[in-house]
Amino acid sequence: MQQLHISSSIAQLRFSVIREMVAMARGMARVINLGIGEPDFTTPAEIIDQALRDAHRGHTHYTPSQGDPELLDRLAEVVSRKTGIATPAASILITVGGMGGLTAALRTLLESGDEVLLLEPHFPDYLAHITLAGGVAVAVPSSLAEGFIPPVERIAAAITPRSRVLLLNSPNNPTGAVLPGDFLDRVAELAIRHNLVVLSDEVYDQIVFGPPAESVYSRPGMAERTLVINSFSKTYAMTGWRVGYCYGPTRLIEQMVKVANYATACASSVGQRAAIAALATDQAVVDLMRDRFAARVAMAGDRLAALPGVKIFRPQGSFYLLADCRAYNGNSRELAIDLLRRQQVVVVPGYAFGASAEGCLRIACTRPEAELGEGIERMSTFLATYRQ
Ligand code: PLP
């Protein structure tokens, strides 16, 4: 039989390291999965119930590509209140998760060969999103000693005439770092000076352990060059409903609607009804989940930090914990696979998040407390007896 041709643009993409680790664990007994980044909680019952009632009332059809008009109106209020920037429904697009926002934004903004500045460590999927949109990722490294936030001068030094987009993610996956206000002020100046569009991925913005995370969108002059990506996935434990949203300059949103239209027609109609219910529900459900994540991250962090040679970055948000285990093995892939084989614990090797996180392991604190505790116990045993 003749060889089936696979497009080189797809063939060159690597499979997700996270999913690869989970696949390796398949068939093993007693596995504790601290790999995949999604809340373990079930979507709050009142959200599910309302979505199902709406489905029975006929919300089972296509919605407009831009989104369910009721959801757009509700988000216009929520976003305008939260950001202090008047953001009408025309400046919002409902997407298939945060992923849909990334796809639509990058495809709309990039010409072939345009560069996207990406702060390391970063969400691995950004690389594929940029490649699929014809762009080139330019990584700006940072270290644990720098709090995993690169100095603004380092970002400036990476700018070239082909730079078009600066991608920020706060709170960050995998570090949990929250970008401070003075950093955002300086980044805003840089973006204006070099005519960059800022893509601000804020999908973890409601999972913060201190004061609310600030956004570059609210900086003077930035609403007209910032596209914020957000999602219902992490905030409301709604990963499977696949509803996200983005907001920014109306002219950009108008063009992005075309991508959403041709790629997906619209986000799930029932999912969007669930999103409306999520915004209407008592937000104490969000606080409750956030407090559980905060306690888990602190517990896991304390226990791992007590191990000789392990350095922990204390996250200010998200539900991830990045542990620097370089003292044991600088090759995070080897270390993560050994941990899985010897103790059946899935974590994500740091190299997946860029060279800045090589030697680290990402632990997702998304299992119930007792199971997470057992996973950390097994990691401690593994490291205490580790020989390469
Ligand atoms: N952005 C970041 C930083 C993420 O970690 C994720 C999911 O893990 C997403 C975007 C996409 O989330 P979703 O498409 O479920 O909204």
Side-chain angles (χ1 to χ4, degrees):
M1 205 176 93
Q2 277 183 325
Q3 270 278 305
L4 194 70
H5 176 76
I6 303 288
S7 151
S8 57
S9 66
I10 299 302
Q12 67 169 314
L13 297 179
R14 76 175 173 201
F15 283 99
S16 152
V17 177
I18 303 178
R19 285 170 196 277
E20 188 194 358
M21 289 298 298
V22 172
M24 255 185 246
R26 216 163 280 143
M28 286 184 183
R30 294 173 59 246
V31 171
I32 295 184
N33 186 350
L34 307 179
I36 286 191
E38 66 166 336
D40 48 323
F41 308 113
T42 304
T43 306
E46 64 274 24
I47 298 176
I48 300 178
D49 291 344
Q50 187 58 49
L52 294 184
R53 275 196 295 274
D54 285 351
H56 282 297
R57 282 174 42 229
H59 285 279
T60 54
H61 299 270
Y62 291 128
T63 70
S65 295
Q66 195 194 342
D68 182 318
E70 209 178 316
L71 179 56
L72 287 167
D73 284 344
R74 284 290 295 117
L75 277 171
E77 289 164 25
V78 170
V79 169
S80 300
R81 195 175 341 114
K82 185 173 93 173
T83 62
I85 306 275
T87 306
S91 299
I92 304 174
L93 169 66
I94 311 299
T95 53
V96 178
M99 297 289 196
L102 287 167
T103 307
L106 291 166
R107 283 208 209 164
T108 305
L109 287 166
L110 299 182
E111 299 288 348
S112 172
D114 280 349
E115 293 173 358
V116 178
L117 296 153
L118 192 57
L119 312 193
E120 274 186 4
H122 59 74
F123 177 43
D125 296 28
Y126 291 150
L127 293 178
H129 281 284
I130 294 166
T131 307
L132 288 172
V136 176
V138 176
V140 181
S142 74
S143 65
L144 193 149
E146 293 166 335
F148 284 126
I149 298 174
V152 177
E153 293 72 20
R154 198 174 297 149
I155 304 174
I159 294 174
T160 75
R162 290 309 302 266
S163 306
R164 185 159 321 257
V165 170
L166 170 61
L167 184 39
L168 302 179
N169 174 214
S170 174
N172 176 278
N173 172 9
T175 66
V178 171
L179 298 174
D182 57 339
F183 175 87
L184 295 174
D185 291 340
R186 297 191 55 210
V187 158
E189 281 168 27
L190 194 69
I192 291 169
R193 194 164 352 118
H194 293 276
N195 194 23
L196 301 175
V197 173
V198 177
L199 264 191
S200 183
D201 180 340
E202 303 179 6
V203 302
Y204 297 98
D205 74 334
Q206 299 305 303
I207 310 176
V208 284
F209 312 140
E214 295 188 41
S215 174
V216 70
Y217 179 72
S218 308
R219 262 57 198 174
M222 287 306 288
E224 60 221 56
R225 59 171 67 248
T226 301
L227 185 86
V228 176
I229 296 194
N230 213 322
S231 169
F232 289 84
S233 289
K234 318 284 176 169
T235 307
Y236 297 99
M238 282 177 54
T239 45
W241 296 84
R242 308 308 301 135
V243 190
Y245 58 100
C246 40
Y247 50 93
T250 309
R251 206 174 73 84
L252 174 58
I253 293 289
E254 274 168 10
Q255 296 298 316
M256 286 172 61
V257 171
K258 290 193 239 170
V259 183
N261 183 355
Y262 296 125
T264 59
C266 61
S268 146
S269 58
V270 183
Q272 294 188 69
R273 298 312 293 180
I276 295 169
L279 293 177
T281 201
D282 184 345
Q283 298 302 292
V285 294
V286 176
D287 298 343
L288 223 61
M289 291 191 274
R290 180 208 54 215
D291 291 348
R292 295 273 295 274
F293 290 134
R296 290 175 185 177
V297 161
M299 177 276 285
D302 288 348
R303 287 171 66 177
L304 289 173
L307 300 175
V310 175
K311 289 194 206 125
I312 291 294
F313 180 73
R314 297 290 181 166
Q316 295 119 38
S318 84
F319 34 63
Y320 302 110
L321 190 63
L322 203 59
D324 183 337
C325 299
R326 235 164 283 225
Y328 294 84
N329 188 343
N331 182 326
S332 58
R333 184 180 164 80
E334 263 180 35
L335 193 65
I337 293 174
D338 280 347
L339 171 63
L340 177 61
R341 295 220 171 106
R342 296 188 204 174
Q343 290 289 344
Q344 296 77 52
V345 176
V346 179
V347 295
V348 181
Y351 82 96
F353 308 99
S356 304
E358 177 54 312
C360 298
L361 300 178
R362 190 196 75 175
I363 296 132
C365 298
T366 49
R367 298 305 305 153
E369 286 70 7
E371 191 180 338
L372 174 64
E374 160 77 14
I376 300 298
E377 194 57 42
R378 291 194 206 170
M379 278 185 78
S380 308
T381 307
F382 166 74
L383 289 176
T385 56
Y386 188 72
R387 298 272 179 285
Q388 272 186 56

